[in-house]
């Protein structure tokens, strides 16, 4: 009995020494976990459309922040202020949920399908690492009957050294030239039967140099035709808006079905003029937090 009491007292002392997370830490971890869940759900959809080869394209691990090159411009600001992000009212599409996150030493976002195309065509893939990053995800209001919310817009803002910013835009331009059209080999399994799937991806740049120091709009379209001739399936077009202001680079990605220019000619919510206006608004938001400020 004495040994049991001693054991209980030791456990009690050890528990007193445990540092329990503060409430704000618990909330921050929950937000990060929620955002990863949303991202993994999007990856699962892409795997279903593009086949297992996409699933093998793992996101590279970021190096330690201490290994990143020091800025050459004598920056005053380090982290990225919240005011550098767009607001829900800046986007001409209704949204109901807003998610956010911040990071250190993150890889700058590029279209994974575009990267895969570039890799297949022999282009060197060089990851561009940011010093600081901040992100925003806007989701549509939940549908009737508890339907899941859909992505409206995601935004990533990166603070980078000037050489990294040039590398990022240069690599993006090179891949867009090499991958105007890409036809990866894949398959689908309707009714548990493997069927060849011909997928066609195309990228175009309808607008450049409309905001900040560098900017571009990139539109991605895709279609799929099963080998047994079930007809061509058009996927919703997507648009990416990339803007650089000083040492800040922002990447805006629209949700599916929101951009103009689909090959089937159907109506959409955002035209190219809207995307350029969104890029200009994003540039204005970046100005105060950039080095040097606008």
């Amino acid at each position: 009995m004495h040994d049991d009491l001693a054991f209980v007292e030791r456990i009690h002392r050890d528990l007193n020494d445990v540092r329990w997370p503060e409430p704000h830490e618990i909330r921050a971890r929950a937000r990060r976990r929620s955002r990863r869940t949303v991202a993994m759900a999007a990856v699962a959809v892409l795997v279903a459309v593009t086949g297992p080869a996409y699933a093998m394209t793992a996101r590279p691990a970021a190096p330690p922040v201490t290994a990143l090159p020091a800025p050459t411009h004598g920056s005053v600001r380090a982290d990225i202020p919240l005011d550098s992000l767009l607001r829900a009212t800046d986007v001409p599409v209704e949204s109901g949920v807003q998610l956010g996150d911040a990071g250190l030493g993150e890889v700058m976002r590029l279209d994974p399908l575009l990267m895969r195309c570039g890799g297949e065509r022999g282009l060197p893939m060089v990851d561009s690492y940011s010093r600081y990053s901040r992100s925003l995800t806007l989701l549509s209001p939940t549908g009737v009957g508890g339907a899941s919310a859909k992505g409206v817009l995601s935004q990533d803002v990166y603070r980078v050294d000037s050489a990294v910013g040039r590398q990022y835009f240069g690599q993006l331009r090179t891949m867009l030239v090499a991958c105007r059209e890409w036809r990866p080999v894949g398959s689908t399994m309707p009714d548990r039967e493997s069927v060849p799937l011909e997928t066609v991806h195309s990228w175009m740049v309808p607008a450049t140099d409309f905001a900040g120091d560098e900017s571009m709009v990139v539109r991605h379209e895709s279609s799929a035709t099963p080998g047994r001739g079930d007809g061509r399936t058009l996927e919703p077009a997507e648009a990416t808006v990339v803007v650089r202001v000083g040492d800040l680079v922002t990447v805006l990605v629209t949700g599916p079905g929101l951009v103009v220019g689909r090959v089937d000619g159907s109506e959409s919510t955002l035209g190219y003029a809207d995307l350029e206006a969104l890029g200009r608004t994003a540039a204005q938001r970046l100005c105060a937090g950039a080095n040097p400020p606008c």
Side-chain angles (χ1 to χ4, degrees):
M1 178 65 71
H2 181 271
D3 291 341
D4 292 340
L5 290 174
F7 176 75
V8 171
E9 291 175 357
R10 187 167 68 254
I11 293 297
H12 181 70
R13 288 195 302 271
D14 291 343
L15 286 175
N16 286 334
D17 294 334
V18 173
R19 178 188 173 274
W20 300 102
E22 295 294 331
H24 70 275
E25 294 182 52
I26 296 174
R27 289 193 296 270
R29 292 177 187 177
R31 286 194 298 270
R32 288 193 293 270
R33 186 173 294 115
S34 297
R35 189 166 179 265
R36 292 191 189 102
T37 301
V38 171
M40 289 305 296
V43 169
V45 172
L46 283 174
V47 170
V49 172
T50 62
Y54 173 78
M56 298 300 293
T57 309
R59 180 174 181 173
V65 175
T66 54
L68 295 174
T72 58
H73 41 61
S75 62
V76 175
R77 283 189 175 274
D79 64 339
I80 300 172
L82 279 171
D83 289 345
S84 297
L85 294 170
L86 290 172
R87 297 173 176 82
T89 53
D90 295 329
V91 183
V93 179
E94 185 180 2
S95 60
V97 180
Q98 180 171 321
L99 307 174
D101 201 1
L104 298 171
E106 296 283 345
V107 177
M108 298 177 69
R109 181 178 185 176
L110 274 173
D111 182 342
L113 287 172
L114 184 60
M115 292 181 67
R116 183 180 156 199
C117 172
E120 287 193 4
R121 297 190 172 174
L123 299 178
M125 296 292 104
V126 180
D127 294 322
S128 299
Y129 287 95
S130 62
R131 299 183 63 80
Y132 295 87
S133 64
R134 192 176 286 277
S135 62
L136 166 72
T137 302
L138 296 176
L139 302 178
S140 64
T142 55
V144 178
S148 298
K150 298 179 180 180
V152 171
L153 181 83
S154 65
Q155 178 183 21
D156 294 291
V157 178
Y158 305 100
R159 190 177 299 282
V160 299
D161 185 69
S162 58
V164 174
R166 290 193 298 270
Q167 171 187 295
Y168 177 84
F169 271 86
Q171 182 166 245
L172 179 57
R173 291 191 184 97
T174 300
M175 286 191 293
L176 288 169
V177 170
C179 296
R180 294 184 186 277
E181 185 174 283
W182 179 50
R183 297 172 178 263
V185 177
S187 62
T188 185
M189 296 188 65
D191 303 323
R192 300 183 180 179
E193 177 187 357
S194 180
V195 176
L197 184 68
E198 180 187 21
T199 306
V200 180
H201 295 276
S202 62
W203 288 269
M204 67 170 294
V205 182
T208 60
D209 300 328
F210 51 86
D213 299 311
E214 292 182 274
S215 57
M216 67 172 67
V217 173
V218 180
R219 192 195 78 210
H220 169 230
E221 286 181 351
S222 63
S223 64
T225 305
R228 63 185 184 186
D230 287 345
R232 186 182 183 195
T233 302
L234 298 173
E235 299 298 328
E238 294 179 346
T240 301
V241 182
V242 188
V243 179
R244 181 179 69 83
V245 176
D247 64 342
L248 293 180
V249 175
T250 188
V251 181
L252 309 170
V253 181
T254 66
L258 294 178
V259 296
V260 74
R262 292 176 57 181
V263 293
D264 63 355
S266 60
E267 294 183 358
S268 56
T269 303
L270 298 176
Y272 294 136
D274 298 315
L275 295 172
E276 291 182 39
L278 197 59
R280 286 190 288 270
T281 301
Q284 292 172 0
R285 300 277 185 227
L286 297 179
C287 273
N291 293 310
C294 301

